[in-house]
Amino acid sequence: MSKKSDEVVVIGAGMGGLAAATRLAKSGFKVRVFEAGPQPGGKCRTINIDGYSFDTGPSLLTLPAVYRDLFLKSGKHLGQELKVTPVEPAFDYFFSDGTRLTLPSSSRAGTAAAIEKSFGHRAAAEWENLMKRAEKMWAVSREPFVESELGTLTSLISRPRIFADLFTIAPWRSLRSLVNKKISDPRLRTLIDRYATYTGSDPRSAPAVLLTIPYVEMVFGAWHVGGGIGKLGEVLAERAQNCGAQIEYNCPVSEILTSDGKVTGVRLADGRVIESQTVVSNADSELTYGKLLGNLPVARKEKQKILRSEPSLSGFYLTIGLKGKRSELNHHTVSFPDDYDAEFNSVFKNFQPVVDPTLYICSPADEQMVPNQDLANHESLFVLVNAPRHSTDGKGFDWSTPGVTEKYADHLVDLLVAKGFIDRERIEVFAYGSPLQIQNNHLAPGGSIYGRSSNGARAAFKRAKNRSPIDGLYLVGGSAHPGGGLPLVGLSGEIVAGIISQRSKGNNGLWAR
């Protein structure tokens, strides 16, 4: 029988919660996971409509080593569970002046060659110089800001070589300002601007260190999971259970219970009380501190810290099943508007749907994702555009207004047709989702995909920490350190599992803070 100190409750079967649950269960802890919805994976989800499958959350896997390590250390190699293949080419970019840039996967030299072919020698040379800076940023930030529990600002400043590291990261610069200094081609600037949106942020405010995202994508590649990225969540849930974790679905947690500043367990929506001295919350940090902990003073204080940072953007998506001859779309296509700043103003300042948005189109060449595995005559398209979060208080857009979502979905289809990406007569399946739907499906306030944005030099320190000020409560997932996206939420689970495991060994088995 396990000791009380070896029992862990995990709120939510998203990727961060599952990563923590799997590692802890493998280490011998008794782990119970309570998921409000009917399936695992959180936003990492593949849905099926009349035989067409769509990745409605992440549509590619970067830094697959995070999950390879997780699967290897918990029983079997990832490749024994899933077919994970490189996406080639990685991305196909279309610019408003008619230029097209097709980038390979996992090839630094190939990326430079593609840029030179489309934009010229000078642009390729500037890109390579910028990636050298990004490589240094990655080397400096990887351990303290990505792979480890985030320390205090004071502890980071006291690190060796701090002044050289600060010069490399340039925390006083935005992504936009650094890139404008280093890159002369406006199309290449536009391309790099997009990487800020990978964290739900505005490139004009997001820190320059986000330059590490295109570097990581270029070096480590873009990967696809056979049958859809959502399969990763399903298989990880199975792995957690095989390691001994218990998962209950359709079982929301209504309250985190505390006493004298320490966690004592959780209360479920069905009234059951589950006692535990260790709780890992994979719920959005704003929800954790703003609702699950009731009116606890320390929780109110933490919520106010979180609310001082800007929420991330949301998204409006289309799922389109096309019949007939397959188009020439590559796996990932991005079509940029003529005025990118107008898009960021709409999302972050004016809180209005973007009239001429960047179109992201995912068209996997995966026979498991089309009816009857007939890839030659069917095509599954997932289309995503940046959108302001849902709100009725003036700090977002009210996506519940009657007729708004239908009208905007039709507008996006018109854009896709006008740009030559789809033929209207081929549409066999059509559905859409707004930020309000994202909020309702994933309990994400406002439908903000990444919790809080990375806007501002101190954004990393405003994000919820993995170790809460309440003894025994830990946070994982996209709204906590180190941030959103499949690799980072997986790392959040690894960080928290490590903290809990180390703590259980402290003081001859007694719990050490």
Side-chain angles (χ1 to χ4, degrees):
M1 183 176 178
S2 63
K3 298 178 293 182
K4 180 71 69 177
S5 60
D6 287 336
E7 297 177 358
V8 180
V9 167
V10 179
I11 303 173
M15 300 303 288
L18 289 174
T22 302
R23 290 181 181 275
L24 289 168
K26 183 66 176 178
S27 296
F29 289 85
K30 179 181 178 181
V31 180
R32 300 183 68 178
V33 183
F34 299 99
E35 165 58 41
Q39 63 194 62
K43 298 185 185 76
C44 182
R45 180 175 299 183
T46 301
I47 65 171
N48 187 282
I49 305 175
D50 297 336
Y52 292 93
S53 293
F54 309 93
D55 287 323
T56 59
S59 54
L60 79 161
L61 175 62
T62 54
L63 279 178
V66 172
Y67 289 93
R68 286 180 180 140
D69 178 75
L70 171 57
F71 274 76
L72 185 62
K73 290 181 178 177
S74 60
K76 292 181 181 179
H77 192 279
L78 178 61
Q80 294 178 269
E81 305 283 343
L82 294 168
K83 183 180 180 181
V84 182
T85 56
V87 176
E88 192 62 63
F91 278 92
D92 210 357
Y93 294 100
F94 292 81
F95 297 85
S96 60
D97 66 352
T99 309
R100 181 176 181 178
L101 172 64
T102 304
L103 295 182
S105 183
S106 306
S107 175
R108 190 165 185 165
T111 297
I115 291 173
E116 181 169 358
K117 180 180 178 181
S118 294
F119 300 154
H121 176 74
R122 179 180 178 182
E126 290 177 344
W127 169 269
E128 182 55 29
N129 285 333
L130 192 65
M131 287 302 101
K132 289 178 181 177
R133 176 68 173 272
E135 183 176 18
K136 293 178 181 178
M137 286 180 166
W138 176 243
V140 168
S141 63
R142 181 174 183 170
E143 187 276 327
F145 287 99
V146 177
E147 297 178 338
S148 305
E149 182 182 9
L150 186 65
T152 63
L153 186 58
T154 302
S155 68
L156 290 170
I157 290 175
S158 65
R159 291 168 59 91
R161 290 181 48 82
I162 181 60
F163 293 109
D165 290 349
L166 284 175
F167 179 79
T168 298
I169 295 175
W172 54 86
R173 279 195 177 276
S174 69
L175 180 65
R176 169 72 69 84
S177 67
L178 178 63
V179 170
N180 282 359
K181 182 180 179 181
K182 302 290 185 179
I183 298 292
S184 58
D185 192 293
R187 296 161 298 185
L188 206 51
R189 291 176 175 178
T190 294
L191 171 63
I192 299 172
D193 270 354
R194 174 166 173 77
Y195 286 97
T197 68
Y198 280 35
T199 65
S201 309
D202 185 335
R204 301 170 299 186
S205 304
V209 74
L210 292 188
L211 196 61
T212 54
I213 301 176
Y215 170 77
V216 166
E217 190 176 90
M218 177 183 68
V219 173
F220 299 102
W223 299 78
H224 175 68
V225 175
I229 300 293
K231 297 292 183 184
L232 182 61
E234 296 173 12
V235 171
L236 184 55
E238 293 176 5
R239 174 57 57 84
Q241 290 172 312
N242 289 339
C243 288
Q246 300 176 30
I247 304 177
E248 291 190 42
Y249 296 103
N250 299 308
C251 190
V253 171
S254 61
E255 185 180 0
I256 297 172
L257 303 175
T258 66
S259 178
D260 297 325
K262 298 180 180 181
V263 161
T264 60
V266 298
R267 178 175 286 108
L268 307 181
D270 62 15
R272 286 182 291 161
V273 171
I274 311 298
E275 295 182 358
S276 176
Q277 295 177 4
T278 309
V279 173
V280 177
S281 179
N282 192 187
D284 187 275
S285 59
E286 185 180 337
L287 179 66
T288 298
Y289 288 119
K291 181 179 178 182
L292 295 182
L293 286 161
N295 203 33
L296 205 63
V298 67
R300 293 201 306 269
K301 183 178 179 181
E302 290 301 309
K303 181 183 178 182
Q304 288 305 311
K305 288 181 183 178
I306 293 169
L307 294 180
R308 282 199 289 269
S309 61
E310 190 171 7
S312 81
L313 54 73
S314 188
F316 192 103
Y317 65 87
L318 309 177
T319 51
I320 307 175
L322 300 174
K323 61 182 179 180
K325 184 180 178 181
R326 183 176 171 83
S327 72
E328 297 181 358
L329 286 171
N330 282 313
H331 193 119
H332 298 129
T333 298
V334 178
S335 175
F336 290 109
D338 183 57
D339 188 349
Y340 211 3
D341 276 1
E343 177 169 334
F344 294 121
N345 288 336
S346 290
V347 170
F348 288 105
K349 293 184 178 181
N350 304 326
F351 306 124
Q352 292 293 316
V354 185
V355 175
D356 184 19
T358 300
L359 299 170
Y360 166 72
I361 308 168
C362 183
S363 175
D366 184 345
E367 63 182 14
Q368 298 180 60
M369 299 181 72
V370 294
N372 306 315
Q373 297 190 326
D374 184 5
L375 194 58
N377 294 302
H378 296 89
E379 191 170 7
S380 297
L381 295 190
F382 174 73
V383 181
L384 178 69
V385 302
N386 297 326
R389 68 196 301 268
H390 170 69
S391 176
T392 57
D393 63 3
K395 297 181 180 179
F397 180 77
D398 185 0
W399 288 99
S400 66
T401 304
V404 163
T405 55
E406 295 88 345
K407 183 178 179 179
Y408 193 56
D410 289 341
H411 173 67
L412 295 180
V413 172
D414 290 341
L415 286 177
L416 291 165
V417 172
K419 292 176 181 286
F421 292 122
I422 66 171
D423 297 322
R424 194 183 300 272
E425 58 271 18
R426 289 185 58 206
I427 298 177
E428 184 174 37
V429 163
F430 180 71
Y432 51 85
S434 74
L436 177 57
Q437 188 167 345
I438 294 173
Q439 171 181 279
N440 294 339
N441 288 347
H442 304 293
L443 302 179
S448 293
I449 299 174
Y450 305 96
R452 314 310 287 186
S453 73
S454 295
N455 293 340
R458 294 175 58 86
F461 296 95
K462 294 178 182 177
R463 188 176 292 276
K465 296 184 181 300
N466 301 122
R467 192 193 309 246
S468 85
I470 299 166
D471 194 8
L473 175 63
Y474 304 89
L475 279 73
V476 297
S479 65
H481 175 76
L486 280 175
L488 298 188
V489 298
L491 286 170
S492 74
E494 179 180 353
I495 290 168
V496 164
I499 295 170
I500 294 171
S501 295
Q502 188 62 38
R503 177 177 174 175
S504 71
K505 299 174 184 177
N507 292 342
N508 297 319
L510 297 176
W511 288 63
R513 181 65 179 165

